[in-house]
Amino acid sequence: MGATKESAEERTVPRILVVGGGYVGMYTALRLQQKLKLEPGGRSRAQSRVKSWAKPRSRAPEAEIVIVTAQPYMTYQPFLPEAAAGSISPRHVVVPLRRVLGRCRIVIGEAHRIDHSKRVATVSTLATEEEGSADIDIPYDQLVIAPGSVSRTLPIPGLAEHGIGFKTVEEAIGLRNHVLEQLDIASSTRDVEVRDAALTFVFVGGGYAGVEALGELEDMARYAARYYHNVTADDMKWVLVEAADRILPEVGDEMGRYAIHELRGRSIDIRLNTRLESCENRVAVLDDGSRFPTRTVVWTAGVRAHPMLDHTDLPRDDRGRVKGTATLRVEGTDNAWVAGDAGAVPDLNAGQERDAAGGVSGRVLLAPNAQHAVRQARVLADNIVATLRGEPVKEYRHKDAGSVASLGLHKGVAYLYGRKVKGYPAWFIHRAYHLSRMPTFNRKARVLAEWTLSGLFKREIVSLGSLEHPRAEFELAANDGRKPDAP
């Protein structure tokens, strides 16, 4: 696979290349692994020989699956707020790809270029970076383009220097440590300005990520404050900034208004129809004239297409996403597929008319959310299997089950099958739904066990910010007690 001159003729079975190990990438590979007879990939040669000796193959392999991903795990993002609040261990909100996809080949690296006209992806791996060698070319027969998305940032002064994202497990745990560290700063200073800035937390974006992160972290900080002799929950200021006239649009207007009422009841300052103009010098400046000296600006204002898509020859829309048809094929191709945040896929439930090529006029596109990504992956995998076996493919249609959102411990809102739920029942539904969607029984059991233990014992309020700089203590010792950057 690593040879740069490998040709299609040298491969005995079709190669399916999956770019991305998120929702779409993992679930697609998992279903392909279940439905296809595969060329041995993830196991060692010794394991493959033992398996072959113990049980002869019933039929020839149908395909080989190669997954290129920057991380060796899939992050279940709906649980990031709970991981940030300490309700779930960080290692339990990620799914190790090598364990789940044992019959696939996992390549930890990044696809820098995809030349679909030649069926080749150019990839850098950890080995090529260490060796300083050239990137490797991975030929393929079927391509699944699923790199997901990245945070959509704006050219706001100070945002790059002081903003904190909330899209990865590393960011979630870093934010938890940061919030607890601010309480420590406020508790140990007599400078009123430093104290006020430390205890002011500004969240930008009123979607799922922003509201759930704010709700969980405010709950955690309120609880933690009882253990500080000179910091109370009333000393903290929490601000949610949203450019639209409502929050959580997915749960409907009524539940969105309830969420605002619930959060404001906890003294959270919600600014609708408001934008962040600057956060230079640790001061958040809003376009309504408000100024908040703060050491914490959490940015959750949407996502954009992954930059890797700029280096492909696949057709894209004006937002940078790859154009897909209702069958999840990339427009104008027979052996490239797209789904999830990276794809601009038509919503057939919006009453659009299809043309002969499978496209639609006046496209209404599917929302980039996890619910669609998981369902699309199932259809995408089935369509690849059908293509390999010469069978007809099917279109992706969905039935909207509704939406759920947590507002903190024992608080939530839900809109399910036309029914509105709020408070504790909505919070319980939120947990039950996402637990059911968590991949593998192993992870389900671990998350459930942690929820049970957290209900029996007190919250953990320890900041482990030093984990982000694990060599700091050793460097200090090696420099005879001097700071590593001291002259």
Side-chain angles (χ1 to χ4, degrees):
M1 181 186 68
T4 58
K5 295 185 179 181
E6 180 189 10
S7 64
E9 290 76 12
E10 294 174 320
R11 298 195 300 278
T12 58
V13 297
R15 173 176 292 159
I16 303 170
L17 177 64
V18 181
V19 178
Y23 289 106
V24 174
M26 193 203 75
Y27 280 105
T28 297
L30 182 61
R31 188 159 178 84
L32 288 171
Q33 181 177 263
Q34 295 168 346
K35 302 198 74 170
L36 289 173
K37 180 68 176 178
L38 299 178
E39 183 78 11
R43 297 184 177 86
S44 66
R45 292 186 177 182
Q47 290 172 310
S48 297
R49 284 198 298 270
V50 170
K51 184 176 180 65
S52 299
W53 174 83
K55 183 179 179 180
R57 294 180 182 175
S58 58
R59 54 193 171 97
E62 295 178 273
E64 171 195 17
I65 300 176
V66 177
I67 302 170
V68 176
T69 175
Q71 302 292 348
Y73 53 80
M74 186 275 279
T75 302
Y76 191 73
Q77 292 183 346
F79 279 157
L80 288 184
E82 294 209 42
S87 300
I88 303 176
S89 173
R91 67 184 184 277
H92 295 157
V93 302
V94 298
V95 181
L97 296 179
R98 296 190 189 277
R99 178 184 295 176
V100 175
L101 304 175
R103 295 165 59 205
C104 303
R105 295 185 183 179
I106 310 294
V107 178
I108 304 303
E110 296 185 13
H112 291 305
R113 186 169 60 258
I114 295 178
D115 188 342
H116 189 63
S117 63
K118 297 179 179 178
R119 309 291 190 269
V120 172
T122 302
V123 177
S124 69
T125 68
L126 296 178
T128 59
E129 293 176 3
E130 286 291 324
E131 298 167 356
S133 57
D135 294 345
I136 62 174
D137 288 340
I138 303 180
Y140 60 83
D141 300 283
Q142 299 283 337
L143 172 69
V144 177
I145 191 79
S149 58
V150 297
S151 295
R152 177 176 60 86
T153 58
L154 299 175
I156 295 174
L159 181 62
E161 294 78 12
H162 304 299
I164 304 172
F166 197 78
K167 192 169 174 60
T168 68
V169 67
E170 293 84 0
E171 288 175 327
I173 303 312
L175 181 56
R176 167 186 168 81
N177 292 331
H178 174 83
V179 169
L180 291 173
E181 185 180 85
Q182 301 315 301
L183 299 186
D184 291 333
I185 291 173
S187 176
S188 56
T189 183
R190 293 185 178 181
D191 189 312
V192 175
E193 292 184 357
V194 171
R195 176 185 169 91
D196 288 346
L199 295 178
T200 300
F201 307 93
V202 178
F203 286 68
V204 183
Y208 281 125
V211 172
E212 291 190 344
L214 184 151
E216 293 284 354
L217 286 166
E218 191 273 342
D219 245 358
M220 179 201 71
R222 180 182 293 272
Y223 177 87
R226 68 180 67 179
Y227 296 100
Y228 289 81
H229 71 283
N230 58 350
V231 176
T232 68
D234 293 337
D235 294 332
M236 292 182 279
K237 180 181 296 183
W238 297 80
V239 183
L240 177 63
V241 180
E242 170 53 45
D245 59 356
R246 58 179 178 170
I247 66 173
L248 297 174
E250 298 86 354
V251 299
D253 290 342
E254 183 179 339
M255 290 295 95
R257 289 193 296 271
Y258 169 81
I260 291 175
H261 176 77
E262 167 66 27
L263 294 175
R264 283 177 172 165
R266 291 153 60 180
S267 299
I268 295 174
D269 186 356
I270 298 180
R271 303 293 181 98
L272 302 178
N273 299 306
T274 307
R275 298 178 184 274
L276 177 70
E277 286 193 339
S278 170
C279 54
E280 284 186 304
N281 303 317
R282 295 191 181 276
V283 177
V285 181
L286 309 185
D287 65 0
D288 64 0
S290 302
R291 297 171 60 88
F292 297 98
T294 178
R295 297 173 57 87
T296 309
V297 175
V298 183
W299 181 268
T300 63
V303 297
R304 63 181 177 90
H306 198 286
M308 185 274 292
L309 299 178
D310 295 337
H311 306 287
T312 72
D313 56 354
L314 302 172
R316 297 192 296 155
D317 69 357
D318 56 358
R319 296 177 60 186
R321 297 179 297 177
V322 175
K323 292 182 179 180
T325 67
T327 60
L328 304 179
R329 273 197 175 105
V330 175
E331 281 191 2
T333 71
D334 290 327
N335 48 13
W337 311 80
V338 67
D341 291 359
V345 178
D347 184 352
L348 296 186
N349 288 354
Q352 303 165 107
E353 294 184 0
R354 299 186 303 278
D355 57 28
V360 293
S361 57
R363 294 162 63 100
V364 175
L365 303 177
L366 293 168
N369 59 41
Q371 187 177 135
H372 283 309
V374 174
R375 294 177 179 182
Q376 286 176 332
R378 184 183 184 92
V379 175
L380 192 158
D382 288 347
N383 283 348
I384 292 178
V385 173
T387 299
L388 294 177
R389 295 175 180 174
E391 300 170 355
V393 297
K394 58 184 179 181
E395 298 173 333
Y396 173 72
R397 293 180 179 273
H398 69 96
K399 294 181 179 179
D400 190 7
S403 302
V404 291
S406 169
L407 302 178
L409 189 64
H410 300 161
K411 297 172 281 289
V413 291
Y415 184 77
L416 300 171
Y417 301 106
R419 306 186 69 174
K420 305 176 183 68
V421 188
K422 56 188 178 182
Y424 183 90
W427 171 84
F428 182 84
I429 292 171
H430 173 270
R431 278 196 164 185
Y433 172 79
H434 286 300
L435 182 65
S436 71
R437 293 295 181 267
M438 186 71 180
T440 78
F441 177 79
N442 178 302
R443 283 296 181 271
K444 286 183 173 70
R446 290 176 183 272
V447 169
L448 184 59
E450 288 198 309
W451 280 342
T452 303
L453 291 174
S454 65
L456 297 175
F457 301 102
K458 295 181 179 180
R459 282 179 184 257
E460 293 291 345
I461 57 167
V462 177
S463 169
L464 296 177
S466 58
L467 290 176
E468 299 166 29
H469 308 283
R471 296 189 66 249
E473 185 70 21
F474 181 78
E475 290 176 350
L476 183 64
N479 282 282
D480 297 324
R482 293 181 288 112
K483 294 291 185 182
D485 58 352

